[in-house]
């Protein structure tokens, strides 16, 4: 058996990650359904390991020491993106959409629990097949998986990844038809004769300009230099350090939390403090880039070590719960349409909602772009949906998951 140490494991994960990018480029179905490259590469390795396990062979052993720090680093950058200034930019519609999405997170978990109980399963499996994996996606699934296993749900991490992949595919299939149905049924816009090449959305540029700041005392040509990178790395590490104390304090109270919650809270406090004072001159673009790197490596390392054979016996109940989640999100999308104004922009938002409520923000953006290519631009939708899906819903989803976890553990 080949044993890889910490550095060798991360290096191998990097190679697997780029193999995932290559497979996405060559096999179009992965790109069509927005399956992330680290998921493609990591699951490929876990499938190979499944074959070896069938023959009772363990060809390689990975050192996963860096898995959790990478996961915490990613969610820390999510905390840095939780700027209250964004809510002011988006106005009442962002707040309303955020509220609706948060309420639906609760309903996703309730539905999962109600359907898990008749199968004689731990109700927490219903939460896993609820907002953990559907609104949360692969990153939240892998982050909470070990926590749910400690709470008594066997094979929680493997089940969570399977549910997350199901959600991504479902979100990609559902969003376009739902948006099109709402537009055609309500005669909101006529289809264009020729496809529209979607330009950069002004609303996205507004958000980016709000989050991106130039560090004081640094020359313009050094804006993205080692100074900004170093400062961002140090701030992330400090938030993780202080956040670990917060998490330990919650643990001392008997509250079960994933390891990243404390760091994410601290990062959000730092973010909004800097918005008020400007003392730290945080560069959100650099923080996001660092978070993206951490997320990709975390996903690959976590997925490579999945034990897919643990899914035996869970297929039918999980399928029932997940199909019910798809129906719930489709109905919720109609509610989103009505609450957001029953106009063309609201229909596009509904398509986007299906994307991130069952998968990822990338799914949401792909669904909305497919709609606007046919019917025309929807700048308000492209402001509201990614702002909630990428910046805010992960925050409240983590809190709600934690609440359900502590109730049913």
């Amino acid at each position: 058996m080949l044993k890889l140490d910490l550095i060798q494991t991360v290096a191998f994960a990097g190679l697997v990650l780029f193999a995932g990018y290559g497979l996405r480029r060559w096999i179009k179905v992965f790109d069509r359904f927005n399956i992330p490259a680290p998921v493609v590469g990591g699951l490929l390795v876990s499938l190979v390991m499944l074959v070896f396990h069938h023959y009772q062979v363990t060809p390689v052993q990975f050192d996963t020491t860096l898995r959790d720090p990478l996961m915490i680093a990613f969610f820390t950058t999510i905390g840095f993106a939780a700027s209250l200034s964004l809510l002011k930019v988006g106005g009442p519609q962002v707040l309303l959409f955020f509220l609706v999405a948060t309420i639906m997170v609760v309903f996703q978990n309730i539905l999962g629990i109600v359907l898990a109980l008749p199968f004689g399963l731990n109700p927490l499996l219903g939460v896993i097949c609820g907002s953990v994996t559907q609104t949360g996606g692969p990153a939240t699934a892998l982050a909470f998986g070990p926590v749910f296993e400690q709470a008594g749900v066997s094979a929680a991490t493997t089940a969570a990844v399977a549910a997350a992949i199901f959600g991504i595919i479902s979100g990609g299939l559902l969003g376009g038809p739902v948006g099109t149905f709402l537009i055609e049924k309500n005669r909101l816009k006529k289809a264009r004769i020729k496809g529209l090449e979607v330009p950069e959305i002004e609303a996205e540029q507004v958000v980016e300009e709000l989050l991106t700041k130039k560090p004081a005392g640094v020359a313009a040509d050094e804006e993205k230099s080692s100074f900004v990178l170093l400062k961002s790395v140090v701030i992330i590490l400090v938030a993780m350090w202080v956040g670990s104390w917060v998490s330990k304090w919650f643990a001392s109270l008997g509250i079960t939390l994933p390891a990243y919650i404390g760091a994410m809270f601290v990062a959000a406090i730092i973010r909004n403090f800097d918005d008020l004072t400007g003392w730290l001159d945080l560069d959100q673009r650099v923080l996001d880039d660092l978070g993206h790197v951490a997320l990709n490596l975390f996903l690959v390392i976590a997925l490579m070590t999945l034990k897919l054979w643990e899914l035996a016996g869970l297929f039918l109940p999980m399928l029932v719960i997940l199909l019910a989640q798809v129906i719930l999100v489709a109905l919720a999308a109609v509610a989103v349409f009505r609450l957001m104004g029953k106009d063309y922009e609201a229909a596009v938002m509904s398509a986007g909602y299906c994307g991130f409520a069952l998968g990822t923000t990338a799914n949401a953006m792909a669904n909305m772009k497919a709609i606007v290519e046919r019917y025309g631009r929807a700048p308000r939708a492209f402001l509201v949906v990614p702002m909630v899906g990428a910046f805010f819903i992960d925050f409240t989803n983590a809190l709600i998951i934690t609440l359900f976890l502590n109730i049913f553990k």
Side-chain angles (χ1 to χ4, degrees):
M1 179 175 62
L2 176 64
K3 294 184 178 181
L4 300 184
D5 63 21
L6 183 150
I7 298 299
Q8 293 166 342
T9 297
V10 175
F12 183 74
L15 295 175
V16 171
L17 172 61
F18 281 98
Y21 281 116
L23 289 170
R24 274 197 61 173
R25 190 178 302 113
W26 297 329
I27 304 175
K28 298 302 181 183
V29 68
F30 291 142
D31 188 57
R32 164 66 182 84
F33 292 112
N34 295 292
I35 309 296
V39 173
V40 175
L43 282 180
L44 176 62
V45 174
S46 64
L47 286 170
V48 172
M49 298 296 286
L50 175 63
V51 174
F52 278 107
H53 180 267
H54 178 72
Y55 295 101
Q56 299 183 337
V57 175
T58 304
V60 61
Q61 180 178 323
F62 299 108
D63 184 340
T64 60
T65 303
L66 281 180
R67 181 189 60 193
D68 288 349
L70 287 168
M71 177 263 292
I72 296 171
F74 163 68
F75 281 101
T76 302
T77 63
I78 293 294
F80 280 117
S83 170
L84 295 178
S85 299
L86 284 177
L87 289 177
K88 296 178 182 178
V89 171
Q93 283 231 316
V94 169
L95 192 58
L96 178 58
F97 190 76
F98 177 44
L99 180 61
V100 172
T102 300
I103 292 172
M104 288 311 303
V105 163
V106 177
F107 279 105
Q108 283 182 318
N109 291 333
I110 292 174
L111 177 63
I113 291 170
V114 168
L115 293 177
L117 291 175
F119 287 100
L121 298 172
N122 190 320
L124 288 177
L125 181 66
V127 180
I128 289 173
C129 293
S131 75
V132 173
T133 57
Q134 303 308 287
T135 296
T140 304
L142 288 167
F144 272 95
V147 182
F148 277 81
E149 288 173 354
Q150 292 173 9
V153 183
S154 59
T157 302
T158 306
V161 171
I165 298 302
F166 181 93
I168 289 173
I169 295 172
S170 300
L173 290 172
L174 183 67
V178 166
T180 301
F181 169 77
L182 291 172
I183 292 168
E184 299 289 349
K185 181 177 182 295
N186 295 279
R187 299 179 181 179
L188 299 175
K189 269 202 174 185
K190 293 181 180 180
R192 295 182 170 227
I193 296 175
K194 294 183 180 180
L196 171 70
E197 183 178 349
V198 184
E200 291 295 322
I201 305 300
E202 288 88 344
E204 292 174 333
Q205 295 173 0
V206 170
V207 175
E208 185 174 329
E209 289 172 5
L210 176 71
L211 290 176
T212 305
K213 297 180 179 181
K214 295 182 179 180
V218 180
D221 60 347
E222 296 178 354
E223 182 180 346
K224 297 182 181 179
S225 69
S226 58
F227 176 87
V228 179
L229 183 62
L230 176 62
K231 182 176 69 173
S232 300
V233 170
V234 170
I235 290 174
I236 291 172
L237 291 173
V238 169
M240 292 170 64
W241 180 19
V242 178
S244 67
W245 294 341
V246 175
S247 295
K248 288 178 181 178
W249 179 72
F250 277 114
S252 69
L253 299 177
I255 300 174
T256 302
L257 294 171
Y260 69 79
I261 288 290
M264 192 166 69
F265 264 119
V266 172
I269 293 171
I270 294 174
R271 164 86 265 173
N272 288 281
F273 172 78
D274 188 55
D275 285 346
L276 291 174
T277 64
W279 290 356
L280 299 176
D281 287 312
L282 296 178
D283 190 322
Q284 189 62 38
R285 183 182 297 176
V286 175
L287 290 168
D288 288 342
D289 287 344
L290 290 170
H292 186 67
V293 171
L295 172 63
N296 283 339
L297 291 174
F298 158 66
L299 286 175
V300 175
I301 294 173
L303 289 167
M304 290 192 310
T305 54
L306 275 184
K307 300 175 182 178
L308 293 178
W309 52 88
E310 294 178 341
L311 283 176
L314 292 176
F315 176 78
L316 179 60
M318 286 184 61
L319 181 62
V320 170
I321 297 172
L322 293 171
L323 287 174
Q325 296 288 356
V326 173
I327 296 171
L328 174 65
V329 168
L331 295 173
V334 176
V336 167
F337 171 71
R338 295 182 180 279
L339 290 169
M340 300 307 293
K342 294 192 291 186
D343 57 8
Y344 171 66
E345 294 266 12
V348 177
M349 289 183 207
S350 297
Y353 172 76
C354 292
F356 81 74
L358 288 172
T360 64
T361 305
N363 270 45
M365 300 299 287
N367 288 347
M368 294 194 299
K369 285 181 179 178
I371 295 292
V372 301
E373 282 175 356
R374 183 177 181 185
Y375 294 101
R377 298 181 63 196
R380 180 160 47 91
F382 275 82
L383 172 66
V384 172
V385 174
M387 192 178 292
V388 173
F391 297 132
F392 294 114
I393 196 63
D394 282 338
F395 212 95
T396 52
N397 187 29
L399 296 178
I400 292 169
I401 293 168
T402 300
L403 176 63
F404 276 90
L405 176 63
N406 284 275
I407 291 173
F408 291 98
K409 68 178 179 179

